Amino acid sequence: MIPNSKITDEVVKEHGLTQDEYALLLKIMDREPTLAELGIFSVMWSEHCSYKSSRVWLKTFPVSGPKVLQGPGENAGAVDIGDGLAAVFKIESHNHPSFIEPYQGAATGVGGILRDVFTMGARPIANLNALRFGDPKHPKTKHLVSGVVAGIGGYGNCIGVPTVAGETNFHPSYNGNILVNAMTVGLARADRIFKAAARGPGNRVLYVGAKTGRDGIHGATMASAEFTEESEAKRPTVQVGDPFTEKLLLEACLELMAEDAIVAIQDMGAAGLTSSSVEMAARGGLGIELNLDHVPVRETGMTAYEIMLSESQERMLLVVKPGAEKIAERIFAKWELDCADIGVVTETGHLVVKKNGQTEIDIPVAPLVDQSPLYRRPHVPSPRRPVIKAANTKAAEPIAALKKLMGCPDLASKRWIWDQYDHLVGNDTIQTPGGDAAVVRVRDTRKALAMVVDCTPRYCVADPKTGGAQAVVETWRNLTAVGAEPIAITDNLNFGNPERPEIMGQIVGCIEGMGEACRALDYPVISGNVSLYNETNGQGILPTPVVGGVGLIDEYTKTVGLGLSKPGLTLIVIGETKGWLGASLYLREIAGWEEGAPPPIDLKLERKTGDLVRGLVRSGKAAACHDVSDGGLLVAIAEMALAGGIGAKLDAPPAGIPVHAWWFGEDQARYVVATDDPAGVLEAAKAAKVPTRRLGESASRSLTLEGGGAISLDELRAIHEGWLPKYMS
C-alpha cells in the first residue's frame, strides 16, 4: 500500500508544477500521488532537468560528424582524436547556487561537471570556466567574485585537474543573477566509453561515493525559477562539496571501469538519486526497484522524499554485471568510500522505491520522461537595431582610447583570477590562461587538445541570431589561432524567463545562429546545458549562450601563442577591416553608448580565413597569432605586445576609414599574424583570396602609432593588470 498525504493546489505550486502539468501527472498515475512521487515529478519535469522550453529548438542543432562518438543525451559528449583515444567534454551551469552561496555554488559546479566527464570513463585533464558578474559598483559584486573564484580554485586545485582557460565579464544585467559555467575536458579510450542505460533485469544497482544528507534538496527546482528578494532564503538548496572525496571517487570509478564490471553508470547530479535512477531506467527501457533502507545516510530520520531529492555531492549510481558486486565493494573499500547494494533492474518499467518495508513510490518511468511537458512557447524577434556609421561616433585619440579600453573591467587582465587556479598540475599544459585558447598535451602521443570558452552577450542582445553565430565562430577562431583543427562544441545557454515572448525570441534567435554557424564550419554540438529563469524581480540577464570549443593539434610543437617574441616581425592583419563600431566595446566604454547592430558574420569567409591562418601556423610562417575580437585591432596588438614583452611600430591607417574605426572597429573574420616571412604570408593569402594589410612591425618596448602617439609597455601593463587587483583589494 502506498502511503499518501493530501496534495493541495498550494503544495503543487510550491513544487513548481502548473495546474496543467499536475493534470497530466494525474492522468499518468491514474491516482493522486504521494508527496514523494510529487517531488519526483517536480524535479524531473523542472526546466533544469527536462528542458521543456528549449528542447524543441535544441533538436535543430547539428550533432553528428565523422569524429563524433557520442552526441547529446549522455553525461557528456565524446569525439575521436585518433590513436584509439577520445576527448570527452561538457559544460554546465551553477548560476543560481553561486549567487546564493558563491563558494559552494561554484565549487560544486566544478565537482558536478568533473563527474559528468569521468562517468563516461574519461580521466579529466582540464577545467575551464565562463563567469559573468554584475556592475563592479554594485555592493554584492566584489563578494561574489571573491567567493566564486575561491570556490573554483578550491575544488579544482584539490582534485588535481588544471584550470587552463576561461573568461570573466561584468555588466549590470548580472547584478541579481551571476553566471558560473564550468567545463571539463577528459581523455578516454575510444572503445571504452561508458554510458547510462540500465541493462539486464536482475542486475544489481549500487550506490557508491559519499553519504546522503539533506543538502541540495530542491536544487533543480530552485534553478528553474526566477529569483525574488527572498532568494537568500534558498541557501539550504545549495549543495556542499568535498573535492578530496571526489578525487577518491574518480580513482575508484576508473579502477572499477578497468575491471569490466559496469553495465551502466550515472552521476547523481541535479535531482540526485531520482534523476540518476530514472534516467538509467528510461535509457534502457526498463524499471528499477530501490530499497532506501540500504542508502548510506549521514543524518537521522531522513524520509524517502529527502533521500530521493537530496543533491549531496560526490555520489554515483551503478548497474553492475552479475557477480561483480564483490569487485565493486573491494575497490570502493580500498578508496574508503561507501558501496551499497540498494536495488535491482526490473522488467516492470516502473520506478519502485521502498522504505521501512513500505512502497513509497511507484511511477511508470517511460511517461515520466517521454511525456514530460514540451512547450513551443510564444516568441517575438528582437527589434532590429540600426547600423551605426563610424563617422557619426565620437572620435577619441587612439592612445587615450586604448588606455581606457585596456583598463576597463571586461578587457582588464584577469591574472588575479587565474593566479588562484593551478593551471600546471599534471605537467601537460602547453599554453596557459591569457591566450586565445589553452593547449594541453595528450600523453604518450605527439597530439595536443586546444580548448576555449567564449560568448559576446552585447552582440546577442543586439541581434540574437548574429550573436549566437558569433559565439560559435569566436571559439572556432580562438582554436584556429593556436593551430588547432576545431572538432566540436559544447554549449551553455543562459537566458532569462522563457515565458516572456521577448526572452523566448532571444533563445530561438541565438540557437538558430549557433546552428547555422556549426553547420557551415562542420563543428557539431555534442553536449550542453540550458539555464533559464536567470532573472531577479523581472530583470533578465543579457542573453549569454556560452560556447566551449575543443580542437585537435596533431603535432604539439606546431602551435603558437599570441606573444610577440622578438623585434623585427612583420605584423599583418588577415581579413578585411571596415571599421564596424555598432555594439562594440569602444562605443560602450568611450562613447557610453550600448547601441547599434553588431558586426555581420560571413560564415564562408570565416571558414576561408580560418583555414588560411591555420595553415600559416602549421607551416611555421606565423611566429605569433591572435584573433581580432573585443576592442578591435589596436587592442589585439596591445595584447600581443604585453604577452611577449615586445612593442610595435604601427603604420598609419588607410585613407577612407576614420582612425578610431580602423583601430577599434570589431569587424569579424580577422586575425593578426606576426611573421618572419611576410612575402610567404601575403602570397598564401592572395592564393586563398583573403584580404590582408601590413600593420607595422614589432619593435622596442612601446606601442608607437604613426602620427598617433605612443605608450610604453610598462605604462600599458600597469593599466591592464592594475584594475582587478585594485578592485579586489
Side-chain angles (χ1 to χ4, degrees), residues 470-504:
Q470 196 274 343
V472 171
V473 164
E474 175 71 7
T475 66
W476 199 80
R477 285 200 298 260
N478 292 150
L479 298 173
T480 291
V482 299
E485 182 76 38
I487 304 175
I489 72 165
T490 181
D491 63 75
N492 207 135
L493 307 180
N494 306 275
F495 294 90
N497 185 344
E499 296 167 46
R500 293 169 51 196
E502 65 273 22
I503 300 298
M504 197 64 219

Side-chain angles (χ1 to χ4, degrees), residues 24-65:
L24 177 58
L25 181 162
L26 292 176
K27 184 178 178 182
I28 289 170
M29 296 293 289
D30 198 27
R31 60 172 171 81
E32 188 176 87
T34 65
L35 185 63
E37 289 171 336
L38 178 66
I40 285 179
F41 274 96
S42 163
V43 293
M44 292 306 298
W45 285 7
S46 68
E47 193 74 62
H48 190 77
C49 291
S50 74
Y51 297 156
K52 56 190 174 186
S53 297
S54 58
R55 211 157 72 233
V56 66
W57 299 104
L58 296 177
K59 290 180 179 178
T60 66
F61 277 150
V63 297
S64 60

